[in-house]
Coordinates of all heavy atoms in Angstrom, one line a residue:
R176 N 0.8 -24.5 2.8 CA 1.6 -23.4 2.6 C 2.9 -23.5 3.4 O 2.9 -23.9 4.6 CB 0.9 -22.1 2.9 CG 1.8 -20.9 2.7 CD 1.1 -19.7 3.4 NE 1.9 -18.4 3.2 CZ 1.7 -17.3 3.9 NH1 0.9 -17.3 4.9 NH2 2.5 -16.2 3.7
I177 N 4.0 -23.3 2.8 CA 5.3 -23.2 3.4 C 5.9 -21.8 3.2 O 6.1 -21.4 2.0 CB 6.3 -24.2 3.0 CG1 5.8 -25.6 3.2 CG2 7.7 -24.0 3.6 CD1 6.7 -26.7 2.7
A178 N 6.1 -21.0 4.2 CA 6.6 -19.6 4.1 C 7.9 -19.5 4.8 O 8.0 -20.0 6.0 CB 5.6 -18.6 4.6
A179 N 8.9 -18.9 4.2 CA 10.2 -18.7 4.9 C 10.7 -17.3 4.6 O 10.6 -16.8 3.5 CB 11.2 -19.7 4.4
T180 N 11.3 -16.7 5.6 CA 11.8 -15.3 5.5 C 13.0 -15.2 6.4 O 13.2 -15.8 7.4 CB 10.8 -14.3 5.8 OG1 11.3 -13.0 5.6 CG2 10.3 -14.4 7.2
S181 N 13.9 -14.3 6.0 CA 15.1 -13.9 6.8 C 14.7 -13.0 7.9 O 13.7 -12.3 7.8 CB 16.2 -13.3 6.0 OG 16.6 -14.2 5.0
S182 N 15.5 -12.9 9.0 CA 15.2 -12.0 10.1 C 15.8 -10.6 9.8 O 16.8 -10.5 9.1 CB 15.8 -12.6 11.4 OG 15.2 -13.8 11.7
L183 N 15.1 -9.6 10.3 CA 15.7 -8.3 10.2 C 16.8 -8.1 11.2 O 16.8 -8.7 12.3 CB 14.6 -7.2 10.5 CG 13.4 -7.2 9.5 CD1 12.3 -6.2 9.9 CD2 13.9 -6.8 8.1
G184 N 17.8 -7.2 10.9 CA 18.9 -7.1 11.7 C 19.2 -5.6 12.1 O 18.4 -4.7 11.9
D185 N 20.3 -5.4 12.8 CA 20.7 -4.1 13.3 C 20.8 -3.0 12.1 O 20.5 -1.9 12.3 CB 22.0 -4.1 14.0 CG 21.8 -4.9 15.3 OD1 20.7 -5.0 15.8 OD2 22.9 -5.3 15.9
D186 N 21.3 -3.5 10.9 CA 21.4 -2.6 9.8 C 20.1 -2.0 9.4 O 20.0 -0.9 9.0 CB 22.1 -3.3 8.6 CG 23.6 -3.6 8.9 OD1 24.1 -3.0 9.8 OD2 24.2 -4.4 8.2
D187 N 19.1 -2.9 9.4 CA 17.7 -2.4 9.1 C 17.2 -1.4 10.1 O 16.5 -0.4 9.7 CB 16.8 -3.6 9.0 CG 17.2 -4.7 8.0 OD1 17.6 -4.3 6.9 OD2 17.3 -5.9 8.4
F188 N 17.5 -1.6 11.4 CA 17.1 -0.7 12.4 C 17.7 0.7 12.1 O 17.0 1.7 12.2 CB 17.6 -1.2 13.8 CG 17.3 -0.2 14.9 CD1 16.1 -0.2 15.5 CD2 18.4 0.6 15.3 CE1 15.9 0.7 16.6 CE2 18.2 1.5 16.3 CZ 16.9 1.6 17.0
W189 N 19.0 0.7 11.8 CA 19.7 2.0 11.6 C 19.2 2.7 10.3 O 19.1 3.9 10.2 CB 21.2 1.8 11.5 CG 21.8 1.6 12.9 CD1 22.2 0.4 13.4 CD2 21.9 2.6 13.9 NE1 22.7 0.6 14.7 CE2 22.5 1.9 15.0 CE3 21.6 3.9 14.0 CZ2 22.8 2.5 16.2 CZ3 21.9 4.6 15.2 CH2 22.5 3.9 16.3
T190 N 18.8 1.9 9.3 CA 18.3 2.5 8.1 C 17.0 3.2 8.3 O 16.7 4.3 7.9 CB 18.1 1.4 7.0 OG1 19.3 0.8 6.7 CG2 17.5 2.0 5.7
L191 N 16.1 2.5 9.1 CA 14.8 3.1 9.5 C 15.1 4.4 10.3 O 14.4 5.4 10.1 CB 14.0 2.1 10.3 CG 13.3 1.0 9.5 CD1 12.9 -0.1 10.5 CD2 12.2 1.5 8.7
L192 N 16.1 4.3 11.2 CA 16.4 5.5 12.0 C 16.9 6.7 11.2 O 16.5 7.8 11.5 CB 17.4 5.1 13.1 CG 17.6 6.1 14.3 CD1 16.2 6.2 15.0 CD2 18.7 5.6 15.2
F193 N 17.7 6.4 10.2 CA 18.2 7.5 9.3 C 17.0 8.1 8.5 O 16.9 9.4 8.4 CB 19.2 6.9 8.3 CG 20.5 6.6 8.9 CD1 21.3 5.6 8.4 CD2 20.9 7.3 10.1 CE1 22.6 5.3 9.0 CE2 22.2 7.0 10.7 CZ 23.0 6.0 10.1
V194 N 16.1 7.3 8.1 CA 14.9 7.8 7.3 C 14.1 8.7 8.2 O 13.6 9.8 7.9 CB 14.1 6.7 6.7 CG1 12.9 7.2 6.0 CG2 15.0 6.0 5.6
L195 N 13.8 8.2 9.5 CA 13.0 8.9 10.4 C 13.7 10.3 10.8 O 13.0 11.3 10.8 CB 12.9 8.1 11.7 CG 12.1 8.8 12.9 CD1 10.7 9.1 12.5 CD2 12.1 7.9 14.1
A196 N 15.0 10.2 11.0 CA 15.8 11.5 11.3 C 15.7 12.5 10.1 O 15.6 13.7 10.3 CB 17.2 11.2 11.6

Side-chain angles (χ1 to χ4, degrees):
R176 180 192 183 199
I177 298 176
T180 183
S181 301
S182 300
L183 296 175
D185 292 340
D186 291 343
D187 303 309
F188 174 86
W189 285 107
T190 300
L191 285 166
L192 196 59
F193 288 152
V194 175
L195 176 63

